Amino acid sequence: MSPLLEVRGIGKRFGSVVALAEVSTQVSAGTVTCVLGDNGAGKSTLIKILSGAHRHDGGEYLIDGDPVRLSSPRAALDLGIATVYQDLAMVPLMPVWRNFFLGSEPTKGRGPLRRLDVAHAKEVTRRELLDMGIRLRDPEQPVGTLSGGERQSVAIARAVHFGARVLILDEPTSALGVKQAGVVLRYIVRARQRGLGVIFITHNPHHAYPVGDRFLVLKRGRSIGEYGKADITVEELTRLMAGGAELEQLGHELAGYGDVTALDGPVKSEDEQP
Amino acid sequence: MTVGQDAGGPVPAARVRGMLARPEIGALIGALVVFVFFASLSEVFRSPAGIANWLDPASTLGIMAVAVAALMIGGEFDLSAGVMTGSTAIVTGLVATRLGWNIWLAIGVSLLFAVLVGFLNGYLVMRTGLPSFIITLGSFLMLQGLNLGVTKLLTGTVLIRGLADVPGYHSASMVFASTVSVFGGAFRVSVLWWIGLTLLAVYVLRRTSFGNWVFSVGGDVRAARNVGVPVVRTKITLFVTTAVAAWLVGTITILRLTSIQANSGIGQELIYIVAAVIGGCLLTGGYGSAAGATLGALIFGMVSQGIVYVGWDADWFKFFLGAMLLVAVLTNQFVRRYAEEAKR
């Protein structure tokens, strides 16, 4: 069986700047591929190619084994590739069920009597969210009252309902606290269990490792390794991302600062005393 | 109202939130209090004749308030809404009396004029990205000048009269300006228009895709665009709707009076916004209700006539209206904070 989505030696340049070069990875149904890298590593360029926002100019992009060139995010969506962005497409003051179907409202009746199928919309919202593990007592609840993690999950559930087979999650945990990040990670596992392919972009190896099956590490637009879960530990992943030696040096530097601050402390408080 | 993960969430607060979730609840309580207050002080106020009397100003204001509320939910203002009730009546009056056309044709021309002005307002706002407050302030002032200038130019006065002699006046008057006698009270037919439009607006806003879009373009226009809501079309439609509501009020006014003053409607635009805000609309858009705006107009009608019935100086009316507005805005602010409060 061919993977749902695969890139082979894919690349993108903007003028003379190489944003991404020779990157290969894939995601199959029911697996999570994590894309890790520091800021500027090329993660966003890769997502934009995958989601149809940019067109690649090197290598191959295959969906279901067929090479594609996506013209727009809409085209990607039609092939079942849905991207859930960090700044969500949600209206805080509107009820969850209205947000869930916003722009694709289910209707019944015809002509001037065409109206929202409210009962159906509420029921589907409740069911889809329940499948994601969110128990919604009242779909009339405004989205703004949900926590950040729950809002991410509603967005994920919406993408799944509207036919997504591959979910691209762009830093879904970066703006969240520890507990809420945990909520989102749980939903990523759920999505995987439901047979979706998930591409999870993050700069946090501690979020990636527990949920991922494959780990692609990017640095300055190039892949510096792709590993199966069995081939790597979370410590190695962290070292790889930060570039081992650099991290150790940073550790020594910070330890040095620690001493300086300890010396500064009493001096400052003396100044403040009248 | 809480979500599975937060089983320890505050339950009494959730119940309060459920009640406050309806934007028109404040206006409903307000309308009941005002009614009971004046009805207990004045026998005339609660008689059929009295009710017909205070429903009349409420009806024309209500027609506008409902349209303005929908526009405000969509995140925009229309300061030209007041002057447009005059402009549309003037167009009808001039076409009927100067050109001698059948009044129905004149009303049709005026409707086209309203659609055009509404479209231009909406198009300019969407095209320039400027606040609708400024764009429609411009069209307000231009229309105000046109109303006076054109009327003076063509009639030599600031009054267009003689509508009663125009062909078709009788039938048009039946539709827009007749009165119906119920239990001895002479009720204006505009009350029926008002009720009908309120029901239509409530239905469209709450039960159609378009209604969903209206809330979304006012609540978060970027999110709405991201999920494929036709933002420009939705907002322009709202501006056109407001102008058409002004056309209806203008038509009712000119057929009732059989004449129209060139300065008619000016200053009313803020009263419409007041009624919509008392009815629970947020000034920032994305939240509000057509039923609430109608209740806001009802409060306005009851107070304006009630003060006269209980024999107070009518000057107190504006004070009362201002106080209502302040209370409503403070309540709305509280409601929105509550609704938007995120448990991060």
Side-chain angles (χ1 to χ4, degrees):
Chain A
M1 200 180 97
S2 60
L4 283 173
L5 182 156
E6 185 178 5
V7 286
R8 289 184 193 151
I10 210 157
K12 175 77 186 173
R13 45 171 69 230
F14 298 100
S16 60
V17 181
V18 179
L20 200 69
E22 295 294 317
V23 171
S24 301
T25 190
Q26 62 174 60
V27 65
S28 306
T31 67
V32 177
T33 297
C34 298
V35 179
L36 294 119
D38 210 344
N39 294 341
K43 296 184 308 243
S44 5
T45 309
L46 181 61
I47 311 160
K48 281 180 178 156
I49 292 172
L50 295 180
S51 66
H54 284 338
R55 261 184 267 189
H56 55 287
D57 44 25
E60 272 192 306
Y61 181 4
L62 301 103
I63 292 174
D64 298 319
D66 301 323
V68 291
R69 289 187 79 81
L70 300 174
S71 55
S72 69
R74 188 74 237 177
L77 213 53
D78 291 341
L79 289 166
I81 316 294
T83 310
V84 176
Y85 286 103
Q86 217 172 346
D87 46 356
L88 297 170
M90 295 260 178
V91 184
L93 282 167
M94 289 175 77
V96 174
W97 71 270
R98 285 183 184 271
N99 263 291
F100 195 93
F101 284 101
L102 186 58
S104 318
E105 292 85 359
T107 53
K108 59 183 178 185
R110 50 175 62 212
L113 285 177
R114 219 163 95 109
R115 58 201 187 275
L116 288 183
D117 193 345
V118 177
H120 174 74
K122 283 186 183 172
E123 178 49 38
V124 170
T125 305
R126 189 193 300 263
R127 199 177 58 225
E128 291 286 348
L129 291 187
L130 197 62
D131 281 353
M132 296 293 297
I134 308 178
R135 185 166 291 107
L136 204 60
R137 230 174 282 166
D138 185 1
E140 286 286 357
Q141 192 173 350
V143 158
T145 63
L146 298 179
S147 66
E150 284 159 355
R151 265 183 275 178
Q152 284 280 359
S153 312
V154 173
I156 294 170
R158 177 166 70 184
V160 172
H161 177 74
F162 287 107
R165 296 179 299 146
V166 178
L167 275 179
I168 302 172
L169 305 176
D170 182 13
E171 301 268 7
T173 57
S174 65
L176 302 178
V178 176
K179 189 176 164 221
Q180 289 301 324
V183 172
V184 173
L185 293 178
R186 223 167 279 140
Y187 299 141
I188 291 175
V189 173
R190 290 253 186 183
R192 180 179 64 183
Q193 283 167 351
R194 292 182 65 178
L196 276 87
V198 179
I199 296 176
F200 173 26
I201 290 100
T202 177
H203 57 251
N204 189 336
H206 297 282
H207 288 167
Y209 196 75
V211 298
D213 298 297
R214 298 170 78 92
F215 304 92
L216 169 69
V217 185
L218 297 179
K219 191 168 190 180
R220 298 198 190 100
R222 288 174 184 275
S223 164
I224 55 170
E226 191 182 19
Y227 305 89
K229 192 157 195 167
D231 308 329
I232 196 165
T233 65
V234 67
E235 288 78 15
E236 284 165 346
L237 200 57
T238 313
R239 283 174 62 87
L240 194 63
M241 258 190 76
E246 282 173 36
L247 193 68
E248 265 165 42
Q249 201 198 333
L250 186 66
H252 289 307
E253 258 183 70
L254 291 176
Y257 287 140
D259 294 343
V260 176
T261 337
L263 287 172
D264 272 349
V267 179
K268 263 186 183 167
S269 55
E270 262 175 333
D271 281 350
E272 281 160 14
Q273 304 272 321
Chain B
M1 295 283 285
T2 57
V3 171
Q5 260 69 30
D6 301 281
V11 174
R15 191 178 298 161
V16 173
R17 182 183 297 156
M19 252 168 54
L20 293 178
R22 312 234 25 112
E24 61 271 11
I25 200 79
L28 182 63
I29 294 168
L32 287 173
V33 168
V34 167
F35 178 81
V36 169
F37 177 76
F38 285 112
S40 63
L41 285 180
S42 158
E43 200 174 312
V44 191
F45 185 86
R46 56 179 193 265
S47 73
I51 291 172
N53 208 359
W54 52 256
L55 277 181
D56 178 28
S59 68
T60 46
L61 171 61
I63 291 167
M64 290 310 295
V66 165
V68 166
L71 183 67
M72 282 176 71
I73 294 170
E76 305 293 343
F77 290 102
D78 186 355
L79 293 184
S80 69
V83 74
M84 272 297 283
T85 63
S87 298
T88 48
I90 287 167
V91 170
T92 304
L94 287 178
V95 171
T97 59
R98 294 282 125 183
L99 301 178
W101 288 15
N102 183 296
I103 192 108
W104 285 103
L105 279 174
I107 290 171
V109 171
S110 169
L111 175 60
L112 284 180
F113 167 77
V115 170
L116 183 74
V117 172
F119 180 83
L120 280 178
N121 274 338
Y123 181 78
L124 281 175
V125 168
M126 294 319 290
R127 191 60 200 251
T128 60
L130 289 167
S132 49
F133 196 86
I134 286 300
I135 298 279
T136 59
L137 182 59
S139 47
F140 167 34
L141 295 173
M142 285 167 69
L143 286 167
Q144 186 177 1
L146 272 177
N147 286 1
L148 278 164
V150 172
T151 308
K152 271 188 185 166
L153 199 67
L154 294 179
T155 67
T157 65
V158 289
L159 185 73
I160 298 166
R161 66 173 101 219
L163 262 290
D165 310 327
V166 172
Y169 172 76
H170 186 69
S171 58
S173 177
M174 281 289 287
V175 174
F176 292 106
S178 56
T179 52
V180 183
S181 197
V182 184
F183 300 119
F187 289 86
R188 293 280 193 178
V189 74
S190 57
V191 174
L192 284 181
W193 280 100
W194 170 39
I195 294 169
L197 279 181
T198 301
L199 294 177
L200 179 70
V202 168
Y203 171 78
V204 168
L205 283 175
R206 298 193 57 82
R207 285 292 176 264
T208 67
S209 300
F210 181 77
N212 225 23
W213 301 345
V214 171
F215 280 93
S216 73
V217 296
D220 188 335
V221 73
R222 205 176 45 145
R225 201 171 272 134
N226 282 346
V227 298
V229 171
V231 172
V232 173
R233 180 150 60 94
T234 304
K235 290 210 180 196
I236 289 181
T237 306
L238 288 171
F239 276 104
V240 171
T241 308
T242 307
V244 169
W247 162 83
L248 179 58
V249 171
T251 306
I252 288 169
T253 311
I254 195 172
L255 288 171
R256 247 186 219 183
L257 305 173
T258 71
S259 67
I260 192 77
Q261 292 272 357
N263 65 353
S264 172
I266 291 164
Q268 290 295 303
E269 57 283 333
L270 293 180
I271 305 288
Y272 307 150
I273 294 174
V274 168
V277 170
I278 288 176
C281 282
L282 289 182
L283 289 163
T284 44
Y287 193 77
S289 126
T294 264
L295 288 167
L298 188 65
I299 292 174
F300 181 96
M302 287 194 291
V303 176
S304 67
Q305 302 301 305
I307 280 181
V308 178
Y309 285 139
V310 297
W312 296 348
D313 193 323
D315 295 344
W316 288 100
F317 171 62
K318 281 283 164 63
F319 174 85
F320 185 87
L321 196 66
M324 280 291 296
L325 178 66
L326 268 184
V327 170
V329 170
L330 292 174
T331 314
N332 290 354
Q333 187 79 357
F334 170 76
V335 168
R336 191 186 56 160
R337 285 229 189 94
Y338 217 88
E340 272 191 333
E341 175 186 78
K343 297 172 288 176
R344 276 186 188 276

